[in-house]
Amino acid sequence: MSISQEAKLSLLGWSFRGAGVSVRERVAFTADEIREALTKLSSGGVISEGVIVSTCHRSEIYSFVADDGARTALTRFVSEWRGLDQAELEGSSFYRSGGDAARHLFRVAAGLDSLALGESEVLGQVRQALSLARESGTTRAVMHRLFESAVAAGKRVRTETEISRHPLSVSSIGFELARKVFGDFSRHRVLVIGAGETGSLFARHAVEAGVREPVIVNRTLSRAQELASGIRGRAVPWESLAGEVPQADVVVSATSSPGHVVTRPAVEAAMRERRGRPMMFLDLAVPRDIAPDVSEVYNVYSYSIDDLEEVAKENRARRAREVPLAEKIVEEELETYLAWLGNLSVVPTVIQWRNHLDHLRDLELERAPAAERERLKGQLDAFSSRILFEPMKRLKGEGDAARKLDRVEAVRHLFDLDKE
């Protein structure tokens, strides 16, 4: 099934599949820039409806346009607005239209077109894109239904498949391993060595799981303090590391140190102080921060980044096995949307509208005396025709395709024609 010709859905985008980081950075939109761009595109007559999805891996402009020159017009707009070379933008962009554009959006919302297969954050980003477009006044019935349907597809994929349930980042995998060992994280202490991206991600996971005041140690104390303040943690100087290790149940290390930050003698001393209570060490650094022989200490669980990468590899394979089912869900939701959109053309709606009134007429005639039914039928038919004449004329004569679809949708909603 194809999208209604009246709708003319188009998609112009730049993603990790064809555009380098330097291009994606320059065409990325903040929330305020999305509002500004949509307002300019709409007021300038370039689009009749539009939504912009912008993440670190993609910037995509979904729109309903009045002519077939959408790709050129939108590329020119981004080029002039951003001060970028139009030929470079064209060479790194991709374009979809009609049902292909809709299918792409559904796959994006489902995490099937993400750098990390099954990424869950993108669903919220699609939802936010719709919200920003509504604030800008650039989405009406058709575009709103398109994005709501895409979000519904994404939710179904996350609920009915396991494509998002197996973590891929080493931080997330390490966190899941720690939860398996210790169970309720809220009763345990976490020490994070290194305030970079990897350590920060684990610290945030821990706080979300209920850990109170994770301890952050970093060679530069100010960076540890910055991370700690954002998660209600506690920053301590690097010199205090030895005293903090025995207090921690889980130690995560992700520094750029050339040598081992935690050694076996230090761990053995910590275990004596802990009276043998179990500890877990997650070494997320390259080269290693935790000495390999730490794992030989009794009641110590130690995992290196290689161990976690092996789990990540298996998890990627698990997610990949869910793709066929996820694609099937996407196609089901897309078919539902396209069927709804196909009904928005004027002719089938007018026919259904007329049939609806005929049904109501027949119900009334059943109540009338048999001798009066033929006369009443003629009067009711004439009355219905007079009622429908002007609305049908206005629907058929509307020149703005998006506004016509809005009005058709209003008729279908008010008279509950989709139910029929």
Side-chain angles (χ1 to χ4, degrees), residues 105 187 218 229 274 331 355 401 409:
L105 174 61
R187 298 184 292 108
N218 195 69
S229 65
R274 292 171 60 84
E331 290 300 319
N355 290 340
E409 164 62 3

Side-chain angles (χ1 to χ4, degrees), residues 18 65 226 280 363:
V65 295
E226 181 181 355
M280 172 177 277
L363 291 178

Side-chain angles (χ1 to χ4, degrees), residues 186-225:
S186 63
R187 298 184 292 108
H188 297 280
R189 295 181 178 181
V190 173
L191 169 62
V192 177
I193 308 173
E197 181 179 352
T198 303
S200 299
L201 182 58
F202 188 95
R204 290 189 171 87
H205 279 317
V207 171
E208 290 171 1
V211 172
R212 297 179 181 178
E213 201 177 54
V215 176
I216 313 298
V217 180
N218 195 69
R219 290 189 186 277
T220 304
L221 181 58
S222 60
R223 291 196 63 183
Q225 292 171 331

Side-chain angles (χ1 to χ4, degrees), residues 34-271:
I34 286 176
R35 295 186 188 94
E36 181 181 354
L38 289 174
T39 299
K40 288 183 176 180
L41 285 167
S42 179
S43 62
V46 180
I47 64 173
S48 58
E49 290 187 65
V51 178
I52 295 177
V53 177
S54 187
T55 73
C56 57
H57 295 310
R58 70 182 71 249
S59 288
E60 299 176 346
I61 304 174
Y62 295 83
S63 61
F64 286 119
V65 295
D67 55 49
D68 296 325
R71 181 170 194 170
T72 300
L74 290 171
T75 304
R76 184 186 305 116
F77 171 82
V78 175
S79 171
E80 294 175 352
W81 194 44
R82 293 296 203 190
L84 301 175
D85 180 67
Q86 186 169 339
E88 181 183 11
L89 288 179
E90 289 177 348
S92 57
S93 69
F94 66 93
Y95 182 78
R96 305 279 189 275
S97 63
D100 290 337
R103 178 176 288 103
H104 178 85
L105 174 61
F106 280 52
R107 296 186 77 253
V108 167
L112 293 171
D113 192 64
S114 296
L115 187 60
L117 180 64
E119 173 197 1
S120 57
E121 290 83 0
V122 71
L123 182 60
Q125 292 163 341
V126 170
R127 188 185 290 111
Q128 182 189 29
L130 175 60
S131 178
L132 291 172
R134 293 180 66 182
E135 292 174 17
S136 305
T138 59
T139 177
R140 297 196 287 252
V142 180
M143 187 69 82
H144 184 84
R145 182 68 170 259
L146 170 66
F147 271 75
E148 286 288 352
S149 298
V151 169
K155 287 180 178 178
R156 277 193 62 194
V157 167
R158 279 154 182 75
T159 302
E160 299 175 26
T161 77
E162 296 188 359
I163 200 167
S164 300
R165 296 179 190 172
H166 307 290
L168 299 180
S169 72
V170 291
S171 293
S172 299
I173 292 169
F175 174 75
E176 291 298 324
L177 283 174
R179 284 212 301 190
K180 288 179 180 178
V181 172
F182 291 102
D184 182 5
F185 238 36
S186 63
R187 298 184 292 108
H188 297 280
R189 295 181 178 181
V190 173
L191 169 62
V192 177
I193 308 173
E197 181 179 352
T198 303
S200 299
L201 182 58
F202 188 95
R204 290 189 171 87
H205 279 317
V207 171
E208 290 171 1
V211 172
R212 297 179 181 178
E213 201 177 54
V215 176
I216 313 298
V217 180
N218 195 69
R219 290 189 186 277
T220 304
L221 181 58
S222 60
R223 291 196 63 183
Q225 292 171 331
E226 181 181 355
L227 173 58
S229 65
I231 60 172
R232 297 182 180 178
R234 177 167 60 90
V236 300
W238 184 262
E239 295 75 20
S240 303
L241 175 60
E244 293 294 337
V245 171
Q247 311 303 318
D249 299 305
V250 179
V251 178
V252 182
S253 193
T255 76
S256 56
S257 175
H260 296 150
V261 173
V262 178
T263 63
R264 177 170 178 168
V267 174
E268 288 175 336
M271 289 300 287

